Amino acid sequence: EVHLVESGGGLVQAGGSLRLSCTASGFRFDDYAIGWFRQAPGKEREGVSNIIIGDGTPWYTDRVKGRFTISSDNAKNTVYLEMNSLKPEDTAVYYCAADLDASNWWLYQAFKYVKIWGRGTLVTVSS
């Protein structure tokens, strides 16, 4: 059975840091792009970052470039998102996702085509 299990969300003050983890099972990890979307209240789901596991290529939305870092530990089937210099506007539910097509993270509304989702973890950044 296919699973993505997230951990690491929580409450942090502006300027602080959090690390999200996403552990995959039930599918061939190396074949996929894996990363995070987020959805704030009243807003559409947006791609945040992903990594192509096969070659390690990362992608970030402009809103988090220079603040977030994505990495993978292929031996553990786990992807990490290190989030630094957090801002109140980063507050959202963060969903781990996996798909064969990395462009589903940045193409308009392409999140609808992503095949595998985690349940989400809440990140709250207070001002």
Side-chain angles (χ1 to χ4, degrees):
E1 194 170 351
V2 172
H3 285 294
L4 291 173
V5 179
E6 304 110 328
S7 63
L11 173 64
V12 64
Q13 287 189 328
S17 299
L18 284 173
R19 188 176 80 157
L20 304 183
S21 300
C22 174
T23 300
S25 61
F27 61 95
R28 189 175 170 89
F29 189 74
D30 291 359
D31 288 347
Y32 282 74
I34 300 179
W36 273 266
F37 291 79
R38 67 186 180 186
Q39 189 164 17
K43 295 190 177 180
E44 195 165 87
R45 192 166 296 193
E46 65 169 344
V48 176
S49 176
N50 71 17
I51 184 166
I52 298 174
I53 300 301
D55 64 12
T57 301
W59 170 84
Y60 303 95
T61 183
D62 286 347
R63 295 175 187 173
V64 308
K65 277 181 183 175
R67 300 189 296 122
F68 291 11
T69 303
I70 194 166
S71 62
S72 68
D73 183 337
N74 294 5
K76 296 181 178 179
N77 279 12
T78 300
V79 174
Y80 303 98
L81 186 69
E82 187 74 36
M83 305 186 294
N84 298 316
S85 302
L86 282 161
K87 305 175 181 180
E89 51 263 44
D90 293 318
T91 295
V93 177
Y94 283 69
Y95 296 92
C96 183
D99 198 82
L100 295 173
D101 189 346
S103 67
N104 285 336
W105 268 255
W106 62 79
L107 294 177
Y108 180 65
Q109 292 196 342
F111 67 88
K112 298 176 182 179
Y113 306 113
V114 171
K115 301 295 189 298
I116 305 171
W117 291 95
R119 291 189 172 187
T121 186
L122 178 62
V123 171
T124 305
V125 184
S126 63
S127 57

